[in-house]
Amino acid sequence: MTDTTNPAAFTELVNLAARTLGAGVVAANDELFAEKENLIVAAAAEFRPHTFGHKGQIMDGWETRRRRGAGADEPHPTDFDHDWAIVRLGVAGVVRGVVVDTAHFTGNYPETASVEAASVPGTPSPEELARAEWTELVPRTTLRGDTAHEFGGVATGASDRYFSSPHNLNALGRAVVMGEGWETRRRRNKDNDWVELKLAGTGEVLAVEVDTTHFVANCPGWASVSGRDESGEWFDLLPRTRLQPDTRHRVRVAPQRPVTLARLNVFPDGGVARLRLTGRLTEAGRAALALRWLNLVPAAEAEQALAEAGLTASEAASVAAARPLADGASVKAAVDALQPHDTPDGEDTTRRGAAIWRLLGV
């Protein structure tokens, strides 16, 4: 049976293949027995025995027809014959783990599977995706029937995750049920529960929202929020504040020094549906995000973005080849190394500098 009692830590991160983010299954070579769209259904796969349609047992998953060889003398498929499906992720992101779940497929699961990924801007067609640059995430691996195969891992930072994941706190939208929030077990000592969140970038927090929607008898009594600046010092963003059950608590806070991490403390324990920290990135924070993006995208996409910002094709290729670029100094060094060197009037230096500022803010 599929074991869901002790999932890998990375499964608590954002599901990039979620329909709520805009994901979809754009193509598959075959889906005769069960539709490809079942691959990204949010709920766990169900099985209803002896439920038959015109094509056999109805399966809550993706199932293709059985493969055959080239003819009577070669009735078996070759080792390279395979089925495939392409999933469009809801948002671009870095994949920290993959789950290939063969739940309820016992005599009809695939023998092996592999997973590849590509970064393609815009809304490409299946034909355009076939020509994309694909990177192997999971090599061809033997599978078992009725099993959730987990590939990857990540660390978490929270005092407790007994009932539900702390990653739910910054999920999109509002929680529909209690299980979509973060809930800790009952405290048996005089400590309190907490969770730390890494912010998208260095920025100023201007408002805090602590949402206890659906938490009625298990709402924390109080909560506070702290921020940590780049020096490592922690300071209060929201002092210890009384919470009400099933309520969205919204508080404006005075602008303070920029923060990189935030810590939610709940006293003594309980559940919180969502935590929202509204604010603005610093100039350095915006530049760091832009540089991180440039380092992660495929070379062709990086070259295209640099060229659209104002570099020549050869200059864009040279800067893209110098990645990863750690900081603004690394970007400047890569730009200064471009050939040919500047003309006496400095026209190339001005153009190159403007292009980098336009794209990266450095």
Side-chain angles (χ1 to χ4, degrees):
M1 298 293 291
T2 297
D3 180 14
T4 59
T5 59
N6 190 30
F10 74 79
T11 60
E12 298 179 354
L13 299 177
V14 174
N15 178 14
L16 300 177
R19 278 206 175 277
T20 53
L21 293 180
V25 186
V26 299
N29 71 305
D30 186 85
E31 51 179 335
L32 187 139
F33 284 116
E35 296 84 357
K36 63 185 185 298
E37 287 76 16
N38 290 334
L39 285 170
I40 58 173
V41 172
E46 298 180 348
F47 182 72
R48 299 178 181 178
H50 309 296
T51 305
F52 294 93
H54 293 296
K55 298 177 182 178
Q57 170 70 46
I58 297 175
M59 298 297 292
D60 186 12
W62 172 50
E63 185 180 2
T64 64
R65 73 190 73 201
R66 302 199 179 200
R67 282 191 168 270
R68 298 293 182 258
D73 295 334
E74 298 179 4
H76 301 289
T78 71
D79 291 340
F80 301 101
D81 290 337
H82 67 280
D83 294 314
W84 54 264
I86 298 177
V87 176
R88 181 192 65 243
L89 302 184
V91 292
V94 178
V95 177
R96 302 296 185 187
V98 175
V99 177
V100 179
D101 191 356
T102 58
H104 309 301
F105 288 96
T106 54
N108 49 354
Y109 62 91
E111 182 181 10
T112 61
S114 64
V115 180
E116 298 176 326
S119 176
V120 185
T123 53
S125 66
E127 292 74 24
E128 291 169 326
L129 289 172
R131 299 190 295 270
E133 177 185 347
W134 291 85
T135 300
E136 186 178 80
L137 297 181
V138 178
R140 186 170 179 175
T141 304
T142 300
L143 301 182
R144 292 177 295 173
D146 200 24
T147 301
H149 305 79
E150 298 171 336
F151 306 95
V154 70
T156 60
S159 62
D160 188 281
R161 42 185 272 187
Y162 185 81
F163 287 111
S164 50
S165 168
H167 292 286
N168 290 340
L169 286 171
N170 63 349
L172 292 177
R174 300 192 63 192
V176 177
V177 295
M178 185 189 301
E180 293 186 0
W182 170 56
E183 183 184 2
T184 68
R185 74 188 79 196
R186 298 189 185 203
R187 276 266 164 195
R188 305 303 184 187
N189 55 33
K190 299 301 182 182
D191 294 331
N192 69 281
D193 287 318
W194 54 268
V195 60
E196 288 183 7
L197 300 94
K198 183 178 180 180
L199 305 185
T202 304
E204 296 177 328
V205 176
L206 304 178
V208 174
E209 178 179 322
V210 181
D211 183 1
T212 61
T213 296
H214 305 302
F215 291 95
V216 180
N218 50 354
C219 167
W222 298 263
S224 67
V225 179
S226 303
R228 194 179 82 170
D229 61 19
E230 292 180 329
S231 71
E233 181 181 354
W234 288 91
F235 57 94
D236 282 343
L237 295 174
L238 177 71
R240 190 177 301 193
T241 302
R242 178 71 188 182
L243 298 183
Q244 298 297 326
D246 199 23
T247 301
R248 297 174 74 184
H249 306 78
R250 304 174 185 174
V251 182
R252 290 185 179 181
V253 297
Q256 301 187 58
R257 55 189 185 271
V259 297
T260 58
L261 292 173
R263 178 180 176 125
L264 169 66
N265 292 289
V266 295
F267 302 91
D269 54 34
V272 176
R274 295 288 187 269
L275 174 67
R276 301 294 190 224
L277 302 177
T278 306
R280 58 192 172 210
L281 292 171
T282 63
E283 185 175 292
R286 289 193 298 272
L289 277 181
L291 190 56
R292 181 171 181 265
W293 168 82
L294 184 69
N295 284 330
L296 289 173
V297 297
E301 192 172 341
E303 291 175 17
Q304 180 181 349
L306 288 163
E308 290 176 351
L311 296 184
T312 66
S314 61
E315 291 170 347
S318 296
V319 173
R323 299 176 306 160
L325 301 166
D327 49 29
S330 301
V331 176
K332 184 178 184 305
V335 173
D336 289 345
L338 292 176
Q339 299 291 335
H341 292 300
D342 202 3
T343 56
D345 60 6
E347 181 179 350
D348 285 338
T349 297
T350 301
R351 175 182 56 79
R352 292 165 178 168
I356 295 299
W357 176 261
R358 189 177 299 117
L359 181 63
L360 301 178
V362 297

